[in-house]
Amino acid sequence: MSGKVAIITPSFNRAYIIEKTAESVFAQTYGNWEWIIVDDGSSDKSWELIQSFARRDSRVKAIQRSRYPKGACTCRNIAVENTDADWLVFLDSDDLL
């Protein structure tokens, strides 16, 4: 496989589980990826965790939803607008890669 892969994750109040998702992303053996996480206005510690992932690895983009409507679809669309990757993978915040 060649080309850049964008892993796209919408997130809302997933502080309790998103670290497991992160570890599964960071464990990938194919290195040409970026992980775009779009926070949907979380009220827990999700945004802080997402920012910590971006500090940990420069391939992670942390974005907060800046328009309506609220929801996973809007967050996915925002992520797609913020990538130049050749391939897209949609990974929910409670899934493992």
Side-chain angles (χ1 to χ4, degrees), residues 35-88:
W35 186 21
I36 306 171
I37 313 163
V38 181
D39 182 72
D40 197 22
S42 296
S43 59
D44 63 1
K45 298 280 186 188
S46 294
W47 179 239
E48 290 83 1
L49 286 170
I50 292 165
Q51 290 176 303
S52 76
F53 304 148
R55 286 190 300 272
R56 173 180 171 180
D57 192 309
S58 63
R59 296 173 293 180
V60 178
K61 289 183 183 177
I63 301 173
Q64 288 185 303
R65 180 185 48 78
S66 59
R67 67 175 191 246
Y68 289 98
K70 181 175 174 38
C73 292
T74 299
C75 292
R76 288 184 189 103
N77 288 337
I78 290 168
V80 169
E81 293 164 4
N82 282 278
T83 188
D84 62 356
D86 302 298
W87 302 96
L88 303 175

Side-chain angles (χ1 to χ4, degrees), residues 11-52:
S11 180
F12 179 72
N13 286 344
R14 294 299 190 146
Y16 69 95
I17 198 164
I18 198 167
E19 288 182 276
K20 291 182 181 185
T21 304
E23 291 308 318
S24 77
V25 171
F26 294 135
Q28 296 307 299
T29 58
Y30 183 76
N32 192 11
W33 55 263
E34 68 178 348
W35 186 21
I36 306 171
I37 313 163
V38 181
D39 182 72
D40 197 22
S42 296
S43 59
D44 63 1
K45 298 280 186 188
S46 294
W47 179 239
E48 290 83 1
L49 286 170
I50 292 165
Q51 290 176 303
S52 76

